[in-house]
Amino acid sequence: MTKTLRFSLLSMLLMLCGTVMADEVTISASDIENAATEATTVSGVTFLADKANGSTAPTFNAKNGDFRVYANGTLTITSETPITKLVFNISAQGLKRLAPITASVGTIAEQASGDETVTWTGAAKEIVLTVGDKADFGSEGNSKAGQFDFSSVVVTLDGTAVVEPTDPTDPTEPTEPTEPTEPTEPVVEPVGNDVTFDFNASDFAVSSNDSQDGDITEDLVLTEGGVTMTITPSGGKTNNRFWGTSNGPQLRMYGGTMTLVAPESNSIVKVVINNVKWNTSNTFNGKAAEKGEWTGNSNEVELVVAANTQINKVVVTLAEGTAPVEETIAAPVISPNDGDNVYDGSVEVTITAEEGLQIQYNVRYAEGDADVIDYTGPFTITKSCRVRAWTVLGEKTSKQVYVDYTINEGVTPEPEAVEATCAEIIAGEEGTIYRVKGTCTKITNTTYGNWILEDETGEITIYGTLDAEGNTKNFASLGIEVGDIVTVEGPKKLYGETVELVDVTVINIEKGTVTPPEPAQEITVAEALEIIEGLADGKSTTELYQVKGYVVGTPDFQRNASGALFGNVNLTIADEKGGEVVFTIFRGKSYDGEAFTEETLDLFAEGDVVVFEGNLQRYVKNDVMTPELINGKLISVSKDDTTGIASIETVDGQKAVYNLNGQRVSQPQKGLFIVGGKKVILK
């Protein structure tokens, strides 16, 4: 009887022991991403990696979602509760470079090529794992340096079962299937006027390894007990989200802010964040929040999340009665901030604040946190990021503000046009893009859009005008007429001595009331020379003239190096056939301003009488003055003109006198001169 009883008691004891479960904590590589540089604790288990005797520092690879310890490096795992088993799930990269792993205590299960896990067993509060020198068990062979790359680890502790479900940085990464069980969370007893946001008890849609239904992609506003909570998107690679756990939805934040606002005429005196994971770089109202708690007295409390933070509940304590509220200071303004904030190549950022306030800011890129910087002036960013800023006055810190910028890297932004007058363009550098406003005084080509733009400082040639779609040869669609006031922008180009804006974009057209100029006056060569004599060096007339004369010499139809025609002609004309007092037609065009072609080269020849219309110019180079007609076009040709040239006007009762260079002479001395269109010898 006694033996039977003892056996039964022993059986019952064994059965009870069999019901005790080992604690299992599944930890993803993203949970311990900071362990490469600092001790990182998750669910009571601390990880710290070191390159030790190796040459490459350990790291977390965000793209592939794995933690990497390189050849001869170490990984130390510690816990207050004895660890009895570690199972590392090897990543895709780890399978290529898996090295032998040795442990300071306990046993590593026998390794072999193709292993997808590395298992340690024993009973210890600290285990140091060392990575072998070569990839003996990797698919790339032992000619490669060894690595220990894992996507997650299952830690078995000596206690009640605790399973932390994985939340990979990239939800598309494969994860080790587990049966999640949330840890028992500490109870937060309400104090005073407490308002609780209990996410576990909510009915929010949740995200998982296969769903993004709970992802927060725009500001989420919640209200409880008169307190307003606003949760912003993370602004980084991984969205803030409500994650499905066995205890219900859990708020997981990887960046962004949680702002709590008290009801009107009240204030917040305490905030307690009930969390299972906290990042020590998180801040409350600009100050460190290492334990997830804030105390003070403010109408508004802002939590800025630096990295992976997992929250079950938020308890907000409101002030009782009329407790004084801390004085707030104005937040800064970040610019530009004009909607999408998408820029090519880079953007210059400026932060302003009220006088007397110090500005601080940081720039957070997708790959992690950023240092706090004292603002001293505008700065340029060249990568997509979030710029966050706040002001400081003594012990007071303002609410933080931020702007997200998207930078199209590798794209060179179009240079901005320089606003200028015609005179400033003429004096400016070739190649510079200018914007100018002026009156259209003449249209020389209605297909390409060649015309003259004039303002109060001078005039320039517009050579080519793009239509509304940016196309050429469609000038008529713009409806520009002589007299219209037009704003254009385009690059400056020199064509000989002619200043042009080429292939301009039309910014604005104001229909003008300017009366088109009167038809050009027909004059002789001598009269043209007299008008030019009255111009300053380098200047030309705004009026158009038609100059008539005999062609002297062979016209020069200009060609490029390959022999193709430029479409214009240089020639000289005189008031008499074979005359020595000549006048230059510079780069004249054919009828209606069209280009000369191979078929129109015989329109005129030496001895023919031609009429060209254009502006008269006093061209000076190297102290030599050449009288010429510019912007010219052919008006008429007469091959049998026998009427001669009209007489020259008298000046003060006398004929005007010119030297053989076509220059007017006021007091002629001895020599050969031109008077009345004829050569005269003065003795």
Side-chain angles (χ1 to χ4, degrees):
M1 181 73 177
T2 303
K3 290 182 180 179
T4 303
L5 178 60
R6 287 176 179 174
F7 178 79
S8 299
L9 290 171
L10 179 61
S11 298
M12 291 174 65
L13 180 61
L14 290 173
M15 289 171 64
L16 288 170
C17 291
T19 63
V20 177
M21 298 175 61
D23 296 353
E24 286 187 354
V25 180
T26 301
I27 300 171
S28 68
S30 62
D31 291 335
I32 60 169
E33 59 182 283
N34 295 327
T37 56
E38 61 184 31
T40 301
T41 301
V42 180
S43 298
V45 182
T46 301
F47 295 79
L48 178 62
D50 188 78
K51 73 175 182 180
N53 296 322
S55 58
T56 304
T59 185
F60 170 69
N61 187 291
K63 180 178 180 181
N64 295 307
D66 61 1
F67 195 91
R68 300 182 179 185
V69 186
Y70 296 90
N72 300 310
T74 61
L75 177 64
T76 302
I77 305 105
T78 59
S79 172
E80 290 299 316
T81 303
I83 301 171
T84 58
K85 188 176 183 180
L86 298 167
V87 179
F88 293 89
N89 295 303
I90 305 303
S91 67
Q93 173 63 22
L95 295 175
K96 299 177 183 178
R97 296 287 189 92
L98 182 59
I101 308 299
T102 57
S104 59
V105 294
T107 304
I108 296 290
E110 183 178 358
Q111 293 181 254
S113 297
D115 282 353
E116 296 183 354
T117 59
V118 170
T119 302
W120 173 91
T121 55
K125 292 186 177 182
E126 179 178 284
I127 305 103
V128 180
L129 303 180
T130 302
V131 181
D133 187 51
K134 298 295 182 181
D136 293 345
F137 305 118
S139 61
E140 294 185 353
N142 60 11
S143 63
K144 301 290 186 179
Q147 294 180 199
F148 182 35
D149 308 341
F150 55 93
S151 58
S152 63
V153 56
V154 180
V155 183
T156 303
L157 303 171
D158 186 10
T160 306
V162 177
V163 175
E164 176 68 18
T166 60
D167 180 11
T169 299
D170 185 353
T172 63
E173 286 290 317
T175 58
E176 188 71 17
T178 59
E179 189 65 35
T181 304
E182 283 292 302
T184 303
E185 62 183 67
V187 177
V188 179
E189 294 295 337
V191 178
N193 300 321
D194 286 348
V195 175
T196 301
F197 293 83
D198 189 347
F199 301 128
N200 289 163
S202 70
D203 58 357
F204 291 117
V206 297
S207 297
S208 65
N209 291 335
D210 303 314
S211 169
Q212 287 80 50
D213 290 348
D215 284 19
I216 299 172
T217 57
E218 58 185 20
D219 287 0
L220 175 65
V221 181
L222 308 174
T223 302
E224 189 75 38
V227 177
T228 301
M229 173 188 288
T230 303
I231 303 169
T232 69
S234 70
K237 176 182 178 182
T238 305
N239 289 332
N240 291 339
R241 60 183 61 157
F242 288 102
W243 188 260
T245 73
S246 59
N247 285 343
Q250 181 186 82
L251 176 62
R252 298 195 171 186
M253 298 184 68
Y254 300 88
T257 60
M258 174 192 289
T259 303
L260 299 163
V261 180
E264 188 175 355
S265 75
N266 208 330
S267 62
I268 299 172
V269 295
K270 186 176 183 179
V271 176
V272 177
I273 306 289
N274 184 276
N275 63 86
V276 296
K277 184 175 179 63
W278 186 260
N279 189 285
T280 56
S281 296
N282 294 346
T283 61
F284 276 118
N285 284 0
K287 298 181 180 179
E290 296 184 2
K291 297 181 180 180
E293 293 188 10
W294 174 88
T295 56
N297 199 319
S298 178
N299 293 114
E300 185 174 309
V301 178
E302 181 183 58
L303 167 67
V304 178
V305 175
N308 193 350
T309 298
Q310 301 176 11
I311 302 171
N312 289 332
K313 184 185 299 183
V314 178
V315 179
V316 181
T317 302
L318 299 175
E320 296 185 13
T322 57
V325 178
E326 293 179 358
E327 181 184 356
T328 59
I329 58 176
V333 176
I334 304 172
S335 59
N337 185 12
D338 51 5
D340 291 339
N341 292 310
V342 179
Y343 300 92
D344 290 338
S346 65
V347 64
E348 183 178 80
V349 178
T350 301
I351 309 175
T352 57
E354 292 183 1
E355 186 176 356
L357 299 181
Q358 177 189 359
I359 300 173
Q360 293 183 330
Y361 73 98
N362 62 29
V363 181
R364 183 183 181 207
Y365 299 97
E367 57 265 26
D369 304 329
D371 295 332
V372 174
I373 304 169
D374 289 328
Y375 180 78
T376 58
F379 56 93
T380 300
I381 55 175
T382 57
K383 295 171 61 179
S384 297
C385 63
R386 169 173 288 181
V387 175
R388 185 183 298 278
W390 57 96
T391 55
V392 178
L393 181 63
E395 295 297 318
K396 298 185 178 70
T397 302
S398 76
K399 174 183 177 181
Q400 297 189 5
V401 294
Y402 69 87
V403 175
D404 290 327
Y405 293 103
T406 300
I407 306 298
N408 297 322
E409 298 180 44
V411 179
T412 302
E414 291 290 333
E416 293 186 4
V418 178
E419 292 194 11
T421 64
C422 287
E424 290 170 336
I425 294 173
I426 292 169
E429 294 186 6
E430 188 172 8
T432 300
I433 296 177
Y434 289 102
R435 175 177 290 195
V436 61
K437 178 179 180 180
T439 302
C440 173
T441 59
K442 180 182 179 183
I443 299 174
T444 58
N445 185 294
T446 56
T447 300
Y448 290 92
N450 302 340
W451 48 285
I452 305 300
L453 182 144
E454 179 182 337
D455 66 7
E456 64 276 7
T457 68
E459 67 176 28
I460 57 172
T461 297
I462 305 300
Y463 189 79
T465 306
L466 304 180
D467 68 11
E469 303 298 325
N471 301 315
T472 61
K473 301 183 182 180
N474 193 22
F475 178 70
S477 67
L478 298 170
I480 296 176
E481 300 175 302
V482 171
D484 289 347
I485 300 173
V486 188
T487 302
V488 299
E489 66 178 41
K492 174 184 174 179
K493 183 177 180 181
L494 290 176
Y495 184 74
E497 298 298 322
T498 303
V499 175
E500 302 174 337
L501 291 188
V502 179
D503 291 335
V504 300
T505 298
V506 176
I507 306 301
N508 187 50
I509 302 173
E510 301 173 30
K511 300 306 290 184
T513 57
V514 177
T515 304
E518 295 292 330
Q521 176 186 355
E522 185 176 306
I523 60 176
T524 65
V525 168
E527 290 170 329
L529 294 173
E530 187 171 2
I531 293 170
I532 290 173
E533 191 66 27
L535 297 175
D537 289 350
K539 297 299 182 179
S540 60
T541 64
T542 56
E543 300 86 2
L544 295 175
Y545 292 93
Q546 293 184 356
V547 184
K548 180 179 181 181
Y550 288 94
V551 177
V552 177
T554 303
D556 176 19
F557 293 95
Q558 296 185 303
R559 298 177 182 270
N560 61 21
S562 62
L565 287 169
F566 281 119
N568 54 47
V569 64
N570 292 339
L571 70 151
T572 55
I573 61 176
D575 279 338
E576 57 185 10
K577 187 176 292 187
E580 296 184 18
V581 179
V582 295
F583 178 71
T584 300
I585 307 297
F586 181 71
R587 291 178 177 168
K589 293 289 187 179
S590 186
Y591 292 113
D592 298 322
E594 297 295 330
F596 285 100
T597 65
E598 298 290 351
E599 290 74 25
T600 58
L601 298 185
D602 59 353
L603 283 176
F604 51 81
E606 184 175 10
D608 292 340
V609 175
V610 294
V611 177
F612 273 85
E613 179 181 288
N615 304 100
L616 306 182
Q617 177 173 264
R618 183 183 179 90
Y619 177 70
V620 178
K621 184 175 182 181
N622 298 328
D623 296 328
V624 176
M625 191 278 288
T626 302
E628 61 185 20
L629 182 140
I630 60 173
N631 304 320
K633 64 179 178 181
L634 181 63
I635 299 299
S636 65
V637 177
S638 176
K639 292 183 175 294
D640 56 358
D641 190 299
T642 58
T643 60
I645 304 300
S647 61
I648 299 175
E649 296 288 338
T650 60
V651 179
D652 296 331
Q654 297 183 358
K655 295 287 188 180
V657 180
Y658 297 88
N659 62 23
L660 297 182
N661 290 326
Q663 297 170 314
R664 185 169 181 176
V665 180
S666 59
Q667 294 181 342
Q669 305 298 318
K670 295 180 180 180
L672 183 61
F673 295 91
I674 306 298
V675 180
K678 300 182 181 296
K679 293 179 184 178
V680 176
I681 297 176
L682 298 181
K683 297 181 180 181

